[in-house]
Amino acid sequence: MPFTTRFAPSPTGELHLGHVYAALFAHQAARDSGGRFLVRMEDLDTIRCRTDYATAIMADLQWLGLSPAGPVLYQSTRLATYQAALDQLKHAGLVYPCFCTRGDIARELDGLTAAPHGPDGPLYPGTCRRLSVPEREDRLAAGTIPAWRLDTALARSAVADRQPAFEETGRGPHDERGTIPVDCGLLGDVILGRKDFGASYHLAVVLDDAHQGVTLVTRGEDLFAATHVQWLLQAILALPHPVYRHHRLIRDAEGNRLAKRDHHQTLASRRAAGQTPCDLKLELQLG
Ligand code: GLU
């Protein structure tokens, strides 16, 4: 089956070998299936993202021989779409305003004997989910800008007739392959509308994957948990569910994930050292 895949970097720095692996992986998955490879710039965070990084990323992709089969999608051009989806969820009562600061959440968690935990640490304890309607209205009327969180349990019951599972075709954290049961509450009541940029990563990604017609999402296994909540979002927003392939992460000699500050692992420094795209594919064990 021809798959449409995508490479979705955030232009907050130069591409490093981990990104190169992700880009080559997505391109190869599209090519092997006779499908299409697309690019999306995840530039929601207007403070950290820079257009010169986006330009450098496109130049790097060209050097790697990875040309997208359609126009590059910039998330910064899609804010009205994200807002419309968030409004739809507000009307359906599936999101609630959250006025907590990080400090409030830390204090609340400290006071709990059994704080809810997810794969990445403690989950939001649900403080603002328990506010009454008048309490919410008072705070909104006072002009406090909230974040908007998914009411995960309500969202799950809104799609109770659906079997929660996604299709994994590749190497997941435990080498999963086949149908993976979705744990809708794995990440708790995630933020869908950020205080600062309006939308959040989870909301933007599901809307954009649907908009770009992505049918196979290839990405690092660090995002395996995100796929669970994104399944739920796709279900409540009546979006198609892509197939997933979570790939390994590229690590340095000490086994740490690469960071944008590791200059010797950037593509630019490898290019400057005379390496070719072929050398990199060999090093990354991609054909
Ligand atoms: N922008 C994300 C990253 O750079 C990828 C998001 C995704 O693949 O869903 O890690």
Side-chain angles (χ1 to χ4, degrees):
M1 179 166 58
F3 282 121
T4 298
T5 67
R6 45 65 166 188
F7 173 55
S10 290
T12 54
E14 293 176 89
L15 290 191
H16 59 54
L17 281 197
H19 301 114
V20 172
Y21 182 79
L24 287 167
F25 194 99
H27 185 267
Q28 190 171 308
R31 190 197 58 202
D32 289 353
S33 69
R36 297 178 344 126
F37 164 77
L38 298 174
V39 173
R40 175 165 78 235
M41 288 293 165
E42 302 214 321
D43 60 347
L44 265 185
D45 181 341
T46 44
I47 295 168
R48 291 175 59 232
C49 294
R50 288 187 5 202
T51 46
D52 55 329
Y53 286 136
T55 308
I57 289 172
M58 292 315 296
D60 277 344
L61 291 180
Q62 197 179 14
W63 180 82
L64 285 165
L66 310 182
S67 1
V72 177
L73 186 69
Y74 285 79
Q75 289 191 325
S76 53
T77 64
R78 303 251 307 143
L79 302 185
T81 302
Y82 307 147
Q83 193 54 53
L86 195 58
D87 287 346
Q88 182 190 329
L89 296 175
K90 286 181 197 172
H91 288 128
L94 297 179
V95 288
Y96 60 86
C98 174
F99 304 94
C100 294
T101 62
R102 279 173 208 269
D104 295 333
I105 296 174
R107 273 189 298 279
E108 173 95 17
L109 288 169
D110 269 353
L112 293 176
T113 35
H117 266 70
D120 304 324
L123 301 178
Y124 178 65
T127 324
C128 286
R129 190 180 55 235
R130 293 185 289 272
L131 290 180
S132 65
V133 173
E135 279 171 324
R136 278 180 194 166
E137 280 169 2
D138 278 355
R139 298 217 197 172
L140 289 172
T144 318
I145 302 212
W148 290 86
R149 287 186 182 270
L150 179 67
D151 188 327
T152 309
L154 267 188
R156 176 64 193 110
S157 50
V159 290
D161 56 323
R162 303 278 296 278
Q163 181 64 30
F166 66 89
E167 202 184 326
E168 169 75 41
T169 66
R171 185 187 177 286
H174 312 292
D175 273 353
E176 288 96 336
R177 182 181 283 271
T179 304
I180 309 289
V182 165
D183 175 354
C184 293
L186 193 58
L187 295 182
D189 286 357
V190 291
I191 290 181
L192 298 187
R194 286 177 52 151
K195 288 183 195 178
D196 42 9
F197 309 118
S200 76
Y201 157 71
H202 293 298
L203 182 66
V205 162
V206 296
L207 290 165
D208 292 346
D209 282 337
H211 176 73
Q212 290 187 289
V214 172
T215 53
L216 173 66
V217 172
T218 65
R219 59 186 180 191
E221 60 193 17
D222 55 327
L223 288 170
F224 194 77
T227 301
H228 290 248
V229 68
Q230 290 175 16
W231 178 91
L232 182 60
L233 280 180
Q234 288 152 357
I236 59 173
L237 290 167
L239 302 172
H241 299 293
V243 172
Y244 289 84
R245 190 173 298 166
H246 295 87
H247 57 66
R248 71 185 174 98
L249 297 176
I250 301 301
R251 297 183 184 274
D252 65 16
E254 283 79 48
N256 300 315
R257 287 182 56 178
L258 302 184
K260 286 185 173 161
R261 60 184 176 276
D262 298 335
H263 187 68
H264 63 291
Q265 301 286 21
T266 62
L267 181 54
S269 70
R270 298 303 191 93
R271 283 172 68 171
Q275 284 192 301
T276 65
C278 231
D279 297 332
L280 292 175
K281 284 182 198 168
L282 273 177
E283 178 177 342
L284 294 168
Q285 298 168 4
L286 282 167

